[in-house]
């Protein structure tokens, strides 16, 4: 009929549909941003892991373990404080997170090199040779991990500092020679922890 026109489209409905499309677009954008962020974190984590693996100790720990096993009995037989431990009781080594492994390893290598091996007085030349061999291996490991730290691949957080402090505090509770002997006798605890955390590490 002349003068007749179609009824106008309800503006309220049009507004709701427009708002719905806008909401869907925003959600898609947020999802893309989340996926991008997740992918970035994964790539950074993978890069850090690969970098750390290049720095981890490329050494056959069995050789060091065998050297220690040959003197373990003689060392522990001299230990008169059987009810006291320095590494074992803390339990901190087994609670260290993977990110702090490098730092704790570096700190405990320094602990043995700077305190235990220097404080221990050994008269048996055969035992002394084995200790020197282990110390030389530790020195090499220190150099490797020092390079890690210089490349910012050896994270040192509060947990690593706490674990190191506990072990030093345990050491300080005993007389120097007794503490050195006790720590030397517990070297297998440290070696087992290293072997566990660096097991299967490819040579760098």
């Amino acid at each position: 009929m002349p003068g007749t026109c179609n009824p106008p489209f309800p503006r309220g409905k049009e507004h709701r549909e427009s708002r719905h499309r806008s909401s869907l677009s925003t959600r898609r954008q947020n999802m893309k941003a989340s996926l991008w962020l997740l992918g970035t974190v994964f790539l950074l984590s993978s890069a850090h892991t690969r970098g750390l693996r290049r720095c981890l100790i490329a050494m056959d720990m069995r050789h060091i373990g065998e050297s220690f096993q040959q003197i373990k009995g003689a060392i522990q037989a001299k230990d008169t404080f059987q009810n006291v431990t320095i590494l074992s009781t803390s339990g901190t080594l087994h609670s260290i997170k993977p990110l702090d492994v490098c730092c704790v390893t570096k700190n405990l290598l320094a602990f043995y090199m700077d305190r235990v091996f220097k404080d221990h007085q050994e008269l048996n030349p055969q035992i002394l040779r084995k200790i020197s061999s282990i110390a030389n291996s530790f020195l090499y490991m220190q150099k490797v991990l020092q390079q890690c730290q210089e490349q910012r691949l050896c994270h040192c957080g509060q947990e690593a500092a706490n674990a190191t402090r506990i072990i030093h505090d345990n050491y300080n509770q005993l007389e120097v020679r007794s503490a050195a002997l006790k720590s030397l006798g517990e070297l297998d605890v440290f070696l087992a922890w290293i072997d566990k955390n660096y097991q299967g590490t490819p040579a760098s």
Side-chain angles (χ1 to χ4, degrees):
M1 295 176 58
T4 302
C5 62
N6 294 326
F9 191 86
R11 298 185 62 182
K13 183 177 181 181
E14 180 182 359
H15 177 70
R16 287 195 299 271
E17 289 185 355
S18 175
R19 190 167 56 183
H20 179 66
R21 287 194 298 268
S22 176
S23 177
L24 286 176
S25 177
T26 301
R27 283 201 294 268
R28 290 194 189 99
Q29 291 176 357
N30 290 340
M31 184 177 297
K32 289 180 180 178
S34 298
L35 291 174
W36 178 85
L37 181 61
L38 183 62
T40 301
V41 171
F42 176 76
L43 288 175
L44 290 175
S45 177
S46 298
H48 177 81
T49 301
R50 288 195 300 270
L52 186 56
R53 282 176 180 169
R54 287 196 297 270
C55 281
L56 297 184
I57 303 163
M59 177 177 287
D60 184 2
M61 297 303 298
R62 288 176 298 181
H63 174 72
I64 305 176
E66 288 172 0
S67 295
F68 175 68
Q69 288 300 323
Q70 293 175 18
I71 63 174
K72 177 180 177 180
I75 293 293
Q76 293 183 347
K78 300 176 185 177
D79 184 7
T80 57
F81 295 93
Q82 298 294 331
N83 60 334
V84 177
T85 65
I86 292 177
L87 270 71
S88 301
T89 53
S90 64
T92 52
L93 289 181
H94 301 291
S95 62
I96 295 299
K97 297 176 182 177
L99 189 61
D100 290 314
V101 165
C102 177
C103 185
V104 172
T105 304
K106 180 179 66 67
N107 291 348
L108 290 187
L109 286 172
F111 166 72
Y112 272 95
M113 294 294 291
D114 298 339
R115 301 195 70 177
V116 179
F117 294 150
K118 289 183 178 180
D119 291 342
H120 180 67
Q121 298 182 1
E122 184 57 57
L123 300 177
N124 187 317
Q126 293 181 335
I127 295 179
L128 190 58
R129 279 196 295 271
K130 295 297 181 182
I131 294 175
S132 297
S133 175
I134 295 171
N136 287 335
S137 297
F138 277 18
L139 180 61
Y140 167 77
M141 292 155 68
Q142 276 186 308
K143 292 179 180 178
V144 172
L145 295 183
Q146 180 61 35
Q147 294 175 359
C148 287
Q149 193 167 37
E150 291 172 358
Q151 298 171 20
R152 300 182 182 277
L153 294 171
C154 197
H155 171 80
C156 287
Q158 189 59 46
E159 186 175 351
N162 291 341
T164 306
R165 176 183 52 78
I166 289 173
I167 291 172
H168 278 279
D169 287 347
N170 291 341
Y171 190 92
N172 293 334
Q173 289 177 5
L174 295 177
E175 184 270 333
V176 172
R177 294 184 183 180
S178 299
L181 185 66
K182 170 67 67 176
S183 299
L184 193 58
E186 293 183 350
L187 188 59
D188 55 343
V189 176
F190 181 39
L191 294 177
W193 182 79
I194 292 178
D195 189 56
K196 174 186 175 183
N197 284 278
Y198 296 95
Q199 191 174 22
T201 301
S204 54

